Amino acid sequence: MLKFWSIESLKNAGAQAGIWLIHLLALLPLPIAHALGGLLGRILWWTGSESARIARINLRICFPEFTPEQVDQMARDCLVAYGRTCTEMGMSWCWPIPKVQELITHVEGLEYLQQGLDQKNGIILIAPHLGNWEILNHFFRQYLYMTVMYRPVKVPAVDNFIFETRKRVGVGLVPASREGVMALFEILENNGVVAVLPDQKPRPKSGVIAPFFGYPALTGKLIGELAAETDAYLLCCYAKRLENGGYGVVLTPGDPEIRNREPVASATALNKSIEECIRDCPEQYQWGYKRFGRQPVPENDPYRKAVIP
């Protein structure tokens, strides 16, 4: 029992140190935080990290037209972008909300958000891991109140910190459980707004295999089920970094076929919508994630194969 508590104490101490680091990053001007993030990404590339290996595999699969040199360049760029996402946590989680909103210097597709609001049937926000998705919380709070699913973190200090950062920007939270799913349906039935991350690997029973950039990927069924059972407006959204140091929020309608009651057809349309978002700024997508794991035939797992198709 003593050893158990010692391990838990170490975990909490490490978590607390991480939280202090985020607060320290919040003290930095954003250009300096970006420079540190860029350095972190380059270190991940130079050291041949697992993230670098996975990014190269994913990019070879998704962009077969790329030369090896182009794949390497994109992989480096996406690791730099990932590093910046990490060092932006201080800004997006700790800066005063009006100060963060001032960084949103460009918005595309605001008319689609207005369409969704005018229809008054609820809205499903589809937000892939592209750019800085935390910026979206600051953007949308100006127009609506949204609810997201939340999976508690096992380390209490981290869980409390993340929970509070979500609450301070006015985001509703429901548990990532059956009860939480039912809560999302109820919110949409009352013409509310829910936001779902569409590109995480679900549990096998919660997903289907559908093409993502032409390669089989386990894709969640939740968005398709929400869309099929309600008249909610489907709105894809992401916040990309701009050359001026600010962020551009992009809003675009989701593919209508996401409402298809056939799960594979729905998931295919969902992935198509995600692909269209990614092609706008592919270097800012989270390519270091094993998106193509859990293949129908385990031997086809690209992260285990020496030769990539």
Side-chain angles (χ1 to χ4, degrees):
M1 181 64 69
L2 180 60
K3 183 177 179 181
F4 171 80
W5 283 109
S6 297
I7 293 173
E8 289 300 305
S9 297
L10 287 172
K11 287 182 179 179
N12 279 300
Q16 193 61 58
I19 293 170
W20 289 340
L21 176 59
I22 291 172
H23 282 291
L24 286 174
L25 289 170
L27 300 176
L28 300 176
L30 189 56
I32 295 178
H34 277 166
L36 290 175
L39 177 60
L40 172 61
R42 291 183 180 90
I43 290 172
L44 290 173
W45 175 259
W46 293 331
T47 58
S49 67
E50 179 69 358
S51 294
R53 185 183 77 88
I54 294 169
R56 292 178 69 186
I57 292 172
N58 287 336
L59 288 165
R60 288 174 185 171
I61 290 172
C62 296
F63 298 94
E65 70 275 16
F66 279 12
T67 66
E69 292 76 18
Q70 288 174 314
V71 167
D72 285 353
Q73 182 61 56
M74 182 72 76
R76 283 195 296 269
D77 290 346
C78 84
L79 290 174
V80 167
Y82 171 72
R84 289 174 178 166
T85 298
C86 292
T87 55
E88 285 169 346
M89 289 180 183
M91 171 273 294
S92 56
W93 288 359
C94 302
W95 280 18
I97 291 172
K99 187 177 178 181
V100 178
Q101 290 175 337
E102 289 176 359
L103 295 172
I104 303 172
T105 58
H106 183 71
V107 179
E108 298 177 30
L110 190 59
E111 66 273 18
Y112 300 121
L113 173 58
Q114 192 59 54
Q115 285 178 14
L117 294 171
D118 290 344
Q119 289 184 14
K120 298 181 179 179
N121 289 324
I123 300 174
I124 301 173
L125 298 174
I126 302 170
H129 288 84
L130 181 63
N132 186 329
W133 46 94
E134 296 291 343
I135 294 293
L136 294 174
N137 295 333
H138 294 271
F139 171 76
F140 281 118
R141 77 184 308 273
Q142 302 171 84
Y143 302 94
L144 50 81
Y145 178 82
M146 65 178 176
T147 300
V148 301
M149 298 192 80
Y150 174 69
R151 189 181 301 279
V153 180
K154 293 182 179 180
V155 181
V158 176
D159 186 63
N160 292 336
F161 177 70
I162 294 176
F163 184 85
E164 290 302 320
T165 62
R166 295 291 189 275
K167 295 296 289 185
R168 86 180 187 102
V169 290
V171 173
L173 302 170
V174 297
S177 63
R178 178 177 176 80
E179 291 74 18
V181 171
M182 298 306 297
L184 295 185
F185 276 102
E186 183 176 352
I187 289 166
L188 291 176
E189 288 171 0
N190 289 298
N191 304 325
V193 180
V194 303
V196 184
L197 298 171
D199 49 358
Q200 293 178 313
K201 282 187 303 183
R203 295 184 178 90
K205 66 179 181 180
S206 300
V208 293
I209 299 296
F212 181 59
F213 282 94
Y215 199 84
L218 184 63
T219 304
K221 296 185 292 185
L222 177 59
I223 292 176
E225 292 170 346
L226 292 171
E229 296 298 330
T230 71
D231 293 321
Y233 191 88
L234 301 172
L235 187 65
C236 297
C237 50
Y238 55 98
K240 60 182 178 180
R241 295 179 193 85
L242 302 176
E243 292 183 0
N244 65 8
Y247 299 86
V249 171
V250 182
L251 310 170
T252 182
D255 190 319
E257 273 298 295
I258 294 173
R259 298 189 187 280
N260 196 310
R261 291 183 178 274
E262 201 288 306
V264 174
S266 173
T268 299
L270 174 62
N271 285 342
K272 179 182 175 183
S273 290
I274 300 170
E275 290 172 26
E276 291 174 355
C277 294
I278 292 171
R279 290 185 187 278
D280 180 34
C281 49
E283 74 284 354
Q284 295 189 37
Y285 188 61
Q286 190 176 326
W287 292 112
Y289 175 66
K290 290 185 178 181
R291 184 67 183 85
F292 301 107
R294 294 182 179 172
Q295 290 292 309
V297 179
E299 290 75 13
N300 289 338
D301 184 337
Y303 310 111
R304 298 181 183 179
K305 296 169 67 175
V307 179
I308 307 304

